[in-house]
Amino acid sequence: MRPAHVCLAVLVAAVWGVNFVVIEVGLDHFPPLLFSALRFLVAALPAVFFVGRPKVAWKWVVAVGLVLGVVKFGLLFIGMDAGMPAGLSSLVLQIQAVFTALFAFVALGERPGRVRVTGMVIALAGIAVAAVDEGETGPLTAFALLIGAAACWGASNVLTRKASPPDALNFMVWVSTVPVLPLLGLSLLWEGPSRDLAALRSLDWSGAGIIVYVAWITTVFGFGAWGYLLRRHPASTVAPYSLLVPVFGMSGAALVLGESVSALRWCAAALLVGGVALTSFSKGPSAKGGGVSRSGTRGVTGSRAPGPGVGPAAAPARTTASRTPSTASRPSPPR
């Protein structure tokens, strides 16, 4: 990768990592489900009028929108509102790589190799250490909600793989249109109209800036830039930068929010990041029966886009072998 592209990949990881800090601050302004609904509303509008029609079937847009937007982000925001620290949240969500590999095995017949299985075991050990640390300092219920959010992210990665969207930004913007009404409805039922109205009436420049960051900077810029890099480089070159997300998340939470990082948490971080690296970037799995998946030997987890409170959906796999000369050489618009 050129130095400018390396800087862009690091910048996107920083944007996604800091996003957890911004969510933590935003939860002081909005109830969690309303906050999530506003995030997707602003991410979708006005971008949906400029990205063109969806380039995949509506069933995939709706499926990913419900699993990723409603369930995953709903659990994430509720979990953080219930006391899950921002830095630890950015770390725990990375277990989605393990769930992605498991769901890909069940749904797509992608058999993980020994190295990937070893990585999954190491990552799960990291989660166990993190759970022990959180059990000593915070609510385990909130921790469990984050694990549920990571599982939903893994499921949405497999759905995105099945959809194979040719344009990550177009797909993400249309996916963002789906969760708005369900999240608003759940917010009215769960959080109550009086609480929602109070939050909207007290909206100030700080609250508006938070919504703009989580919607436009994290989603539109973040996924647009990540898709730009995946168009120009193999996924195996770009994806490792996603491991910087919890680094920026934990560092940002410590600097901005004053979150302490215990020795157990550092141990959990080392195990989880190392395990995710093995799970995500080991040799791609083979399909059951000796066949090859339709995207080649590249696994789902290796092409995912990270995130967060980040990021929503996985970008389609891009490998040097699968890119035709016309696709690789044509300029693509900024995303």
Side-chain angles (χ1 to χ4, degrees), residues 106-235:
V106 174
L108 305 178
E110 294 183 349
R111 200 177 295 148
R114 292 182 180 178
V115 174
R116 182 161 289 173
V117 171
T118 301
M120 292 165 66
V121 172
I122 294 173
L124 289 173
I127 287 295
V129 173
V132 171
D133 180 62
E134 183 64 10
E136 294 178 352
T137 60
L140 281 177
T141 301
F143 187 91
L145 290 173
L146 264 291
I147 298 296
C152 291
W153 190 6
S156 71
N157 282 344
V158 174
L159 289 171
T160 302
R161 168 67 177 275
K162 292 286 287 183
S164 297
D167 185 333
L169 181 60
N170 170 280
F171 184 66
M172 194 60 243
V173 168
W174 280 103
V175 163
S176 296
T177 65
V178 175
V180 177
L181 291 180
L183 284 170
L184 284 175
L186 289 171
S187 179
L188 290 172
L189 291 173
W190 182 272
E191 296 157 347
S194 59
R195 189 180 175 192
D196 288 351
L197 287 174
L200 293 174
R201 285 171 179 165
S202 62
L203 181 65
D204 54 15
W205 286 107
S206 174
I210 288 168
I211 293 294
V212 168
Y213 185 91
V214 299
W216 290 352
I217 306 301
T218 299
T219 303
V220 178
F221 166 75
F223 280 90
W226 198 255
Y228 172 88
L229 292 172
L230 286 172
R231 282 177 175 269
R232 284 156 178 78
H233 305 280

Side-chain angles (χ1 to χ4, degrees), residues 284-298:
S286 61
K288 286 180 180 177
V292 178
S293 63
R294 61 188 175 87
S295 295
T297 59
R298 183 74 187 161

